[in-house]
Amino acid sequence: DAKDQGRDREQVYSSAMALVNIEQRSMKARVAAALEDGRMTLRFHPIVALDTASGDWRVVGAEALLRMHDAALGLLSPALFHHALDDAKLARPIGRYVLDRALRASAAWLNKGVRLSVAVNISTRHLMQQEFIADIDEALAAHPEVDATLLCIEITETGPLVDPTGARQVIDECRARGINVSLDDFGTGNASLSHVQQMDVGTLKIDQSFVRDILVEPRNIAIAAGILTTARLLKIAVIAEGVETEEQGVLLISLGCGQLQGHVIAEPMLATAIPAWVENWVYPASWRLAAPVVLE
Ligand code: C2E
Ligand code: MG
Ligand code: MG
Ligand code: MG
């Protein structure tokens, strides 16, 4: 009867949930093992900015993106193990690893005469831990040639939403050291521009979901334009991420976006590839002409 059917369905749900849990637990174990065995690695994704004085675009930074080498599955994106990144036990060791390797890369670039900021994705779990600022200080101390102003941390809005006071304190501690703070995936969650203003973040990253269809979806243009206008008034920089075509870049630039990141510029690459790539990068000519005249 209906009652039995209900119970059956419940059973199906709970075994599906159990499977998902096992899957995630084994993924966490894989991540822990990879960290232990030195099978974590970083790729770096260039960020370019308009130099308003010359009208030229230049490479100003690179975002560190974590990859896990799995014997069975190959090189994995964190999209496949994001539960592990926010895990109570793993968030901090992963965060410390990425901070150290990102600053090491920055030091190596400086050594080659290439001065770029390096952006590190920080899990909310790590951000909100007591030891977070000590971990930042330790990483900076280990790479004294890298100035704190070259470091940027990318956070999502979950921390500021769950614990605004706590998040604000951590952000203030970072800013006091000269570290820039970016709000990643902006527009996808529940954070409003008023949160942004309260949080003293230096940069917003427009999520790629708004960029992907911007040429065919007028509502995405409206969202990007709204973010850009408000950010300009608040004197917050904006990076559009996930820019895949020259035309998407032109549109974003014409809306006043001064920084771009995405596959049209480059795919994420090894740290060692960055200096030569920076040397050789040529921006699309259309980007020079796209910049609007902005009255301050
Ligand atoms: P995110 O921080 O928003 O990073 C942007 C993601 O979009 C990256 O994927 C990047 O490779 C991808 N991407 C950039 N430009 C384009 C484009 O033009 N087209 C397309 N299709 N994709 C583009 P990735 O490396 O797989 O990272 C996914 C997410 O994993 C990141 O999103 C970030 O939230 C998280 N993540 C990455 N590295 C770390 C890390 O070291 N620590 C933590 N906690 N999270 C990380
Ligand atoms: Mg990011
Ligand atoms: Mg993002
Ligand atoms: Mg993302």
Side-chain angles (χ1 to χ4, degrees):
D1 61 356
K3 218 168 127 200
D4 281 340
Q5 265 182 17
R7 206 174 302 131
D8 271 359
R9 196 175 306 142
E10 233 167 73
Q11 204 136 38
V12 171
Y13 278 139
S14 63
S15 47
M17 285 311 292
L19 216 94
V20 168
N21 280 335
I22 291 167
E23 199 88 43
Q24 275 163 20
R25 240 184 304 139
S26 83
M27 197 42 115
K28 280 177 190 173
R30 279 173 195 261
V31 168
L35 199 59
E36 179 94 343
D37 306 346
R39 284 183 289 105
M40 287 295 184
T41 177
L42 296 181
R43 293 295 181 269
F44 291 86
H45 203 209
I47 298 168
V48 301
L50 173 67
D51 175 24
T52 45
S54 66
D56 287 324
W57 285 80
R58 56 194 179 85
V59 187
V60 291
E63 177 179 4
L65 295 168
L66 188 62
R67 300 288 179 260
M68 173 170 76
H69 191 269
D70 186 283
L73 305 171
L75 206 59
L76 303 185
S77 146
L80 291 163
F81 54 88
H82 62 270
H83 288 283
L85 297 176
D86 237 10
D87 177 74
K89 288 204 200 81
L90 291 172
R92 185 168 179 230
I94 292 170
R96 284 163 55 92
Y97 170 82
V98 176
L99 280 166
D100 180 65
R101 291 308 165 99
L103 291 174
R104 182 185 293 188
S106 172
W109 301 333
L110 284 173
N111 220 11
K112 299 216 159 197
V114 176
R115 195 178 174 80
L116 297 179
S117 76
V118 68
V120 174
N121 292 284
I122 301 293
S123 72
T124 296
R125 175 82 65 172
H126 190 200
L127 183 80
M128 304 308 284
Q129 278 170 356
Q130 203 89 82
E131 300 90 349
F132 177 69
I133 292 296
D135 289 343
I136 290 271
D137 286 339
E138 192 183 317
L140 285 167
H143 303 282
E145 60 276 59
V146 182
D147 196 87
T149 57
L150 285 180
L151 177 62
C152 174
I153 61 165
E154 294 194 3
I155 64 172
T156 58
E157 49 207 27
T158 47
L161 280 176
V162 171
D163 178 6
T165 315
R168 194 187 170 140
Q169 275 169 8
V170 186
I171 293 167
D172 287 347
E173 290 266 7
C174 289
R175 300 284 278 182
R177 286 159 174 75
I179 298 165
N180 186 29
V181 179
S182 291
L183 203 50
D184 206 348
D185 304 337
F186 190 72
T188 56
N190 296 306
S192 65
L193 284 160
S194 79
H195 286 102
V196 170
Q197 189 210 20
Q198 286 160 30
M199 288 302 158
D200 192 30
V201 299
T203 307
L204 298 180
K205 298 189 80 170
I206 301 179
D207 190 66
Q208 49 183 290
S209 60
F210 302 115
V211 173
R212 191 176 300 126
D213 298 323
I214 199 161
L215 290 168
V216 291
E217 181 49 80
R219 279 175 298 187
N220 287 354
I221 301 182
I223 289 166
I227 293 172
L228 285 159
T229 303
T230 315
R232 188 182 305 131
L233 294 171
L234 294 172
K235 303 210 184 313
I236 297 172
V238 177
I239 302 173
E241 66 178 344
V243 183
E244 293 185 345
T245 69
E246 192 177 322
E247 290 74 21
Q248 289 170 343
V250 167
L251 178 52
L252 286 155
I253 295 162
S254 69
L255 294 174
C257 191
Q259 295 190 58
L260 304 174
Q261 184 181 0
H263 292 171
V264 70
I265 296 153
E267 303 272 331
M269 64 187 85
L270 288 165
T272 49
I274 285 277
W277 181 86
V278 168
E279 189 96 351
N280 292 317
W281 183 63
V282 180
Y283 61 91
S286 62
W287 288 7
R288 190 187 174 85
L289 305 169
V293 177
V294 177
L295 302 173
E296 292 296 334

